[in-house]
Amino acid sequence: MIDKKYVLPPVDFGSALVRDAFAIERLRGDLGTGTTPVETLVELHALFRVVMSVISARIEGNHTTVYDALSQLGPVDAGEESPTDSLHEIMNILDGIDFIDSIDAAQPITHVLIRELHRIAVSDLSREGDRTPGEYRSNEVSISDSAHAPPSHVYVHAEMSALLDFANREMPTHEQMIHVAIAHHRFVWIHPFTNGNGRVSRLFTYAMLRRNGFDSIPGYRAVNPTAVFGNDRDGYYAALEAADDLSGTGTLAWCEFFVHGLRQDLERLVRMQDFDFVTRELLSPAIDALRASGGLTLEEASALQIAAVTGVVKAADLAPALPGTPSQRSVAIRGLLGRGLLTADERGPRFYRTALSRGPLAPFIVRRLDALGYLPRMLEHDGE
């Protein structure tokens, strides 16, 4: 017998939901066709990973700003203080994203994967930890500010088995986003863990998007549903609650919220394919702002502008900005590398790129993303 929770409700072909679903397919077809170099997209993806991890934690009440996260994330040196619980929560979410990205996207989503994502998400946390990391709950739970009563712990494994069967189902392309939306809600509805369900549900949904084709285009792993939820936290919870009765009407309302938000996020992402837009509206203004703050000399700013516009440079390419002998230029480049303003490219030790995801420039890029409307409302004006 088919569980009615996993039957796609009838959808009016002329509805906004269908229009958004087809728009997503059109946008997906546009991915990978632009002029922005893959290396730049990969760097921006690394920056978006941090932003999405902050959003996922913020939804749960974590108040760490994206700027604090960018300045503090990284390995802890011997003798340094351990990261705060709030920062550690964000680091765990990043680890969860990395774990998903390390797996073949075609691999089925299993109980083992879900429990491992939970173990990663709650590892070594106090406020947002769990007494049994990586284990389904063995107790009854309630959800704060929600009328929904999750299933008894006795049924959790069976409920998750049904959900995973649904999540791994092959779906027609035009139904894939509705499929992902329903799976996300049903995960939250089951509430399989004592704590950490929200964070794991968003990682689970990211894994489902990868299975549905968003892992095959280099540089576009930034397609992450967390942006949808962070853009309207109250709307997110209200839409989830509307589907808690498992009715077709409530499920469609939730799907409309999710699919429309994903379409908006994809439209912004596709805009990043236009390298002229990226350099003119994002990278160059960020470099100018860093220089205006006193973080760069005129020569250093010029060098970063050349690297940003060129994508990958060698020392000779920076000669117009860094005049002098090759030896003097090498010293200047080593200084830019040491300060995290340039980064070595994969092509070899003498190829360089402007560092976008970490270092002094990253917060200024985030501010430009905010000014351009790329940050979910949850993070708007985070640096004020």
Side-chain angles (χ1 to χ4, degrees), residues 23-345:
I24 285 173
E25 296 317 307
R26 176 182 56 78
L27 291 164
R28 177 156 54 175
D30 291 338
L31 292 176
T33 63
T35 55
T36 303
V38 169
E39 295 84 2
T40 301
L41 289 171
V42 169
E43 276 277 297
L44 290 173
H45 164 63
L47 185 61
F48 285 138
R49 285 172 63 255
V50 176
V51 172
M52 297 308 158
S53 299
V54 171
I55 292 170
S56 189
R58 183 75 62 85
I59 290 171
E60 305 303 325
N62 187 318
H63 298 295
T64 304
T65 71
V66 66
Y67 303 104
D68 286 340
L70 286 169
S71 67
Q72 297 176 51
L73 286 172
V76 179
D77 295 329
E80 287 189 8
E81 292 185 9
S82 298
T84 64
D85 203 56
S86 295
L87 184 63
H88 199 103
E89 181 182 359
I90 294 167
M91 294 168 67
N92 285 355
I93 296 168
L94 280 167
D95 288 344
I97 295 172
D98 285 342
F99 180 68
I100 293 169
D101 283 344
S102 72
I103 297 170
D104 180 358
Q107 178 177 312
I109 300 174
T110 64
H111 289 285
V112 172
L113 173 61
I114 296 297
R115 292 197 298 261
E116 179 62 12
L117 290 176
H118 180 258
R119 186 197 65 77
I120 292 170
V122 302
S123 177
D124 298 322
L125 295 180
S126 298
R127 184 180 69 88
E128 289 297 342
D130 192 316
R131 296 189 307 275
T132 56
E135 298 293 334
Y136 291 143
R137 59 183 168 87
S138 58
N139 57 292
E140 307 307 322
V141 294
S142 59
I143 303 174
S144 299
D145 302 319
S146 174
H148 170 57
S152 169
H153 70 90
V154 175
Y155 302 112
V156 165
H157 194 278
E159 290 280 4
M160 287 300 296
S161 292
L163 171 59
L164 294 176
D165 284 345
F166 174 72
N168 291 316
R169 189 182 302 173
E170 294 297 326
M171 304 294 289
T173 301
H174 66 281
E175 293 182 348
Q176 287 179 350
M177 295 305 102
I178 299 172
H179 176 227
V180 174
I182 292 173
H184 178 89
H185 173 268
R186 297 331 189 218
F187 185 104
V188 177
W189 186 90
I190 296 167
H191 213 74
F193 302 105
T194 304
N195 196 19
N197 292 280
R199 283 161 284 162
V200 179
S201 72
R202 292 183 281 277
L203 291 170
F204 162 64
T205 306
Y206 175 58
M208 283 198 66
L209 283 174
R210 290 182 73 241
R211 276 182 55 81
N212 282 324
F214 284 104
D215 186 61
S216 59
I217 304 169
Y220 284 99
R221 288 181 178 177
V223 180
N224 191 314
T226 301
V228 177
F229 312 140
N231 201 45
D232 185 359
R233 182 175 184 265
D234 291 339
Y236 170 45
Y237 284 132
L240 281 174
E241 282 198 24
D244 282 344
D245 63 0
L246 305 181
S247 67
T249 300
T251 296
L252 283 176
W254 158 249
C255 290
E256 288 169 2
F257 174 87
F258 178 89
V259 175
H260 182 68
L262 193 62
R263 173 187 176 173
Q264 292 180 314
D265 195 50
L266 267 174
E267 286 172 340
R268 289 188 288 265
L269 184 60
V270 167
R271 189 81 170 101
M272 287 291 180
Q273 292 190 130
D274 181 353
F275 195 42
D276 179 65
F277 170 80
V278 170
T279 53
R280 183 186 70 250
E281 299 294 339
L282 182 62
L283 303 185
S284 290
I287 293 168
D288 289 341
L290 178 57
R291 183 193 162 216
S293 75
L296 293 172
T297 66
L298 176 60
E299 292 77 13
E300 291 170 338
S302 297
L304 292 188
Q305 294 281 11
I306 291 171
V309 171
T310 307
V312 178
V313 296
K314 299 177 72 173
D317 298 321
L318 300 179
L322 303 174
T325 66
S327 177
Q328 290 171 323
R329 194 171 305 119
S330 294
V331 170
I333 289 172
R334 283 198 297 273
L336 292 170
L337 288 167
R339 289 161 56 201
L341 293 162
L342 285 180
T343 185
D345 185 69

